[in-house]
Amino acid sequence: MKTGVKVLSILLGIVMIICGTYCLISPGLTFLTIGWIVGFCMIVDAVGNIATWNARKKLGIADGWTLFAAILSLCFGIIVIASIAVQFIVNIFIAYMAAAWVLWIGILRLALSAKMHHIRKELGNESIAKYWWLVMINGILLILIGILGLMNPAVAAIAIGTLIGIDILFAGANMIVAACIA
C-alpha cells in the first residue's frame, strides 16, 4: 500500500474512532439520524437508478415501471429528508421492528434450547448439547429485552444508537490496523 493511502486510511480511521466515540456518548442522537439516513439513501438510490435508466433500458433490464419506482423513491426520500415528523415516524418504526426482531430471536432461541435439551436426554451423551441451558437463558433475556423494547421504544433506540457507535468505533480501529500492517 502506498504511503499516501496508508496515511489517509489512518486519518480516516481516527475520524471514525472519534465519530464512534461520539455515537457512544450520545446514542439517542445517533438513533435520531436514522430517519435522515434512510431518506438520503432513498434519494441516492433514486438518482442512481434515474441516471442509469436509459442505459439499462437499452440492455433490456429496465422498463417504465423501473423509472416510475425511481421517481417515487426520489419523492419519498425528499419527503423523509424535508419532514421531521416523517423522520420521527421512520425512527419509531425502526425501533419497534428492532424490538420485535429481538423478541422473535429470543423465542427461537428458547425453542432451540428445548430441542437441544431433548437431544441431550435422548442420546444420553453429556458432551452433546451440554450447554442447552445457556441458550435457554439467552432466549429468556432476549425475550425480556424485546418486550421492554416494545413497551418503551426509547430503550431500543438507545441500544441501536449504541450498537452503531460500537460498529463505527471498531471499523475505524480496523482501518488503522489494516493500514499499519499493509
Side-chain angles (χ1 to χ4, degrees), residues 113 116-117 119-121 125-135:
S113 73
M116 288 172 68
H117 182 62
I119 289 171
R120 184 169 181 259
K121 285 176 72 175
N125 188 336
E126 291 296 317
S127 65
I128 296 177
K130 181 178 179 180
Y131 298 107
W132 64 272
W133 56 275
L134 287 174
V135 177

Side-chain angles (χ1 to χ4, degrees), residues 8-171:
L8 181 63
S9 294
I10 291 170
L11 289 175
L12 290 174
I14 291 168
V15 169
M16 289 179 73
I17 288 173
I18 292 168
C19 290
T21 303
Y22 177 78
C23 291
L24 287 173
I25 291 169
S26 58
L29 289 175
T30 301
F31 177 76
L32 290 176
T33 63
I34 291 176
W36 189 88
I37 292 168
V38 168
F40 181 75
C41 289
M42 291 171 76
I43 292 170
V44 169
D45 179 62
V47 169
N49 281 322
I50 291 168
T52 61
W53 179 77
N54 198 28
R56 289 184 295 132
K57 185 176 184 210
K58 288 179 184 175
L59 295 172
I61 56 174
D63 57 11
W65 289 109
T66 306
L67 182 60
F68 177 70
I71 293 169
L72 202 59
S73 291
L74 180 63
C75 293
F76 283 134
I78 291 169
I79 290 169
V80 172
I81 292 285
S83 172
I84 294 172
V86 175
Q87 287 177 29
F88 180 74
I89 291 167
V90 169
N91 290 341
I92 293 298
F93 176 77
I94 289 171
Y96 275 116
M97 290 304 296
W101 173 68
V102 169
L103 176 65
W104 275 107
I105 295 297
I107 292 167
L108 294 172
R109 294 267 168 84
L110 208 54
L112 175 63
S113 73
K115 184 172 181 118
M116 288 172 68
H117 182 62
H118 176 72
I119 289 171
R120 184 169 181 259
K121 285 176 72 175
E122 253 330 278
L123 297 176
N125 188 336
E126 291 296 317
S127 65
I128 296 177
K130 181 178 179 180
Y131 298 107
W132 64 272
W133 56 275
L134 287 174
V135 177
M136 181 185 69
I137 290 170
N138 180 258
I140 292 169
L141 289 173
L142 287 171
I143 289 169
L144 292 174
I145 292 168
I147 291 170
L148 181 62
L150 288 172
M151 291 172 48
N152 185 358
V155 171
I158 297 299
I160 291 169
T162 302
L163 290 174
I164 289 170
I166 290 169
D167 184 55
I168 293 171
L169 191 81
F170 280 125

Side-chain angles (χ1 to χ4, degrees), residues 1 3-17 172 175-181:
M1 186 183 292
T3 305
V5 175
K6 281 186 177 187
V7 170
L8 181 63
S9 294
I10 291 170
L11 289 175
L12 290 174
I14 291 168
V15 169
M16 289 179 73
I17 288 173
M175 187 175 284
I176 292 170
V177 170
C180 289
I181 64 173

